[in-house]
Amino acid sequence: MLHAFRSLVSPELSIVQILPQADKVVLVARPKATKSCCPSCGCRTGRVHSHYMRRVADLPWQGRVVEIRLHARRFRCADPQCRQRIFTERLPETVQPRARRTARLGESHLAIGFAVGGESGSRLSRKLAMPVSGDTLLRMIRAAGFEPPAAPRVVGIDDWAWRKGQRYGTIICDLERNRVLDLLPDRNANTVASWLKRHPGIEVIARDRAGVYADGARRGAPDATQVADRWHLLQNLGEALRLALGRHRKAVSAAGKAMMAKMSGDDDANPEPSVETSPKLDGLRRSRRNQRSELYAEVLDLRTTGMSPRQIAPRTGMSVRTIERWLAAGGEPEHRRPPARSVLMDPFQEYLEERWQEGQRNGLHLWSEIKPHLNSHFWKIL
Ligand SMILES: [Zn+2]
């Protein structure tokens, strides 16, 4: 019976004595563990620095206040490099550092505070043999509203311009809470890797196709799954479709018209979809294409002299990223009309967002889900 009661108090504590007093029950307790982990570096050590007595209020027993007298310890960190020389033992299951009530008593107080408020909560708590002041309850309620952010699980990593075209850093976002977590000074794989190491628990890393982030993520969070992020996923998907369709533009267009004629039961096919073509517009497109070709030729020239994309950028007025992309692709991108992408992807954007929120983060899987619906959609836009 006593044994059962003792183990109920906390898995981290041994009860060495129970002292029933007139108005309360005092439990004298010692931590069970012989070693403790340094909160700074995480290394385990058994080198006790000193002992002290800590009084912690706990849940009541038989209508009586319970107080734990805890033989608390300070440890020396075993790592001479660690900035934390001495630390107090952590008992996460039982009580927060410096707290004067156990975690479970704190939960009860908070529930009371939320239910009936500060002063009434204080009166009720006294009746229930877990006294607490109204001010403390209010403080707990306020603190609960601003609870520290949970460790991120799904993060997005992308580059970010400190000064456009000149200096780039890295932005890291919590994709589940839509919150910026950090801005890193550069786009270095080492910087990303060390940031990830400082933030364990990340399961999914969404990034673009840049090799730097892939490498940084692999080293910093080897267990995390790397995925193409939502934006890049849509972009890649749109690009792939456009390329695939582009090769068969004529055939697809003809098939589409025939289908529409059939569906409308009309021998006269619906009026041809308007395609913006005018000599003037064509001329503009051509000249922009030429400009891009010239620009690419210049980039290549500079590259052959041994310059890095970062050095080429200020000389061409292009972003480092674009230069890297062009070089990787082996040429300047074909000019595209911007609406094509949104028209193509719009109907799926909402669905994909939804699936993402539901937890489906596998690009191939998402692709297989929307694929069967693509055809019918194409006929409508062609
Ligand atoms: Zn340490």
Side-chain angles (χ1 to χ4, degrees):
M1 169 70 190
L2 192 59
H3 179 78
F5 174 72
R6 280 175 171 169
S7 63
L8 272 179
V9 174
S10 165
E12 290 167 335
L13 301 180
S14 305
I15 305 298
V16 291
Q17 220 176 350
I18 298 173
L19 306 172
Q21 298 185 352
D23 55 340
K24 63 180 172 187
V25 177
V26 175
L27 307 177
V28 182
R30 275 181 210 290
K32 278 184 191 163
T34 54
K35 292 183 172 183
S36 188
C37 285
C38 168
S40 284
C41 68
C43 86
R44 273 168 74 77
T45 175
R47 291 160 62 187
V48 176
H49 168 270
S50 54
H51 291 90
Y52 62 104
M53 184 64 77
R54 199 173 157 188
R55 285 164 194 256
V56 181
D58 195 16
L59 288 176
W61 181 68
Q62 302 279 320
R64 280 200 263 186
V65 170
V66 171
E67 179 190 300
I68 299 177
R69 281 191 198 154
L70 179 59
H71 285 273
R73 298 174 291 185
R74 295 186 191 91
F75 284 86
R76 279 180 216 282
C77 181
D79 181 355
Q81 309 292 324
C82 180
R83 63 191 166 85
Q84 183 108 34
R85 310 294 300 279
I86 295 161
F87 61 91
T88 57
E89 178 169 18
R90 300 303 200 258
L91 299 163
E93 302 268 310
T94 315
V95 60
Q96 291 297 306
R98 284 188 295 278
R100 287 186 292 179
R101 57 179 65 79
T102 56
R104 59 189 177 193
L105 177 60
E107 281 167 23
S108 298
H109 278 158
L110 191 60
I112 290 171
F114 272 127
V116 295
E119 279 315 309
S120 321
S122 175
R123 282 195 296 275
L124 177 60
S125 307
R126 242 190 331 270
K127 274 239 157 49
L128 296 174
M130 43 170 120
V132 61
S133 76
D135 285 345
T136 303
L137 282 182
L138 290 180
R139 206 170 52 240
M140 291 173 85
I141 292 169
R142 273 197 295 274
F146 303 102
E147 61 189 21
R153 209 176 59 85
V154 181
V155 301
I157 303 182
D158 209 343
D159 52 18
W160 181 76
W162 294 93
R163 281 187 67 188
K164 198 155 174 54
Q166 297 199 12
R167 214 177 124 225
Y168 282 87
T170 299
I171 184 168
I172 302 180
C173 297
D174 183 327
L175 293 180
E176 288 184 303
R177 296 177 188 82
N178 287 326
R179 195 153 49 190
V180 175
L181 293 169
D182 216 342
L183 296 172
L184 308 182
D186 53 36
R187 291 194 301 177
N188 192 304
N190 289 333
T191 314
V192 171
S194 70
W195 190 93
L196 288 169
K197 276 183 197 150
R198 287 198 307 275
H199 296 79
I202 291 171
E203 293 168 24
V204 179
I205 297 169
R207 52 162 183 84
D208 69 357
R209 287 166 293 181
V212 170
Y213 294 142
D215 184 37
R218 200 159 39 239
R219 284 192 278 132
D223 295 335
T225 309
Q226 294 191 35
V227 297
D229 69 42
R230 243 184 308 176
W231 190 85
H232 291 99
L233 192 69
L234 288 177
Q235 195 194 34
N236 293 354
L237 202 55
E239 261 170 28
L241 288 172
R242 230 181 359 260
L243 282 176
L245 278 180
R247 281 186 219 114
H248 311 287
R249 186 175 288 279
K250 268 191 181 158
V252 172
S253 177
K257 276 179 213 157
M259 175 80 97
M260 280 173 90
K262 220 183 240 172
M263 285 193 310
S264 63
D266 191 353
D267 283 343
D268 268 339
N270 286 341
E272 205 167 306
S274 69
V275 179
E276 282 181 76
T277 45
S278 75
K280 218 175 169 182
L281 201 58
D282 281 345
L284 193 65
R285 284 202 186 114
R286 226 182 348 265
S287 87
R288 284 187 58 186
R289 204 154 38 224
N290 289 341
Q291 277 171 18
R292 281 162 170 268
S293 301
E294 280 167 25
L295 211 48
Y296 178 63
E298 201 182 328
V299 168
L300 264 192
D301 275 353
L302 293 171
R303 185 79 184 125
T304 48
T305 67
M307 278 190 196
S308 69
R310 197 170 290 225
Q311 291 166 314
I312 298 172
R315 288 174 172 77
T316 53
M318 292 166 64
S319 74
V320 177
R321 182 101 175 272
T322 309
I323 292 169
E324 284 170 351
R325 223 174 13 233
W326 285 18
L327 287 171
E332 83 282 9
E334 274 298 298
H335 179 72
R336 304 178 191 109
R337 273 171 291 160
R341 190 183 95 213
S342 56
V343 168
L344 210 57
M345 293 315 300
D346 270 353
F348 302 108
Q349 180 136 4
E350 205 179 314
Y351 174 78
L352 289 173
E353 292 261 351
E354 219 176 276
R355 294 290 290 129
W356 180 271
Q357 289 306 331
E358 284 166 12
Q360 179 50 261
R361 270 131 209 205
N362 183 315
L364 271 180
H365 194 101
L366 289 172
W367 165 238
S368 72
E369 284 183 4
I370 66 168
K371 204 166 149 192
H373 306 284
L374 283 172
N375 281 340
S376 59
H377 175 56
F378 281 151
W379 307 132
K380 278 180 218 147
I381 62 163
L382 278 167

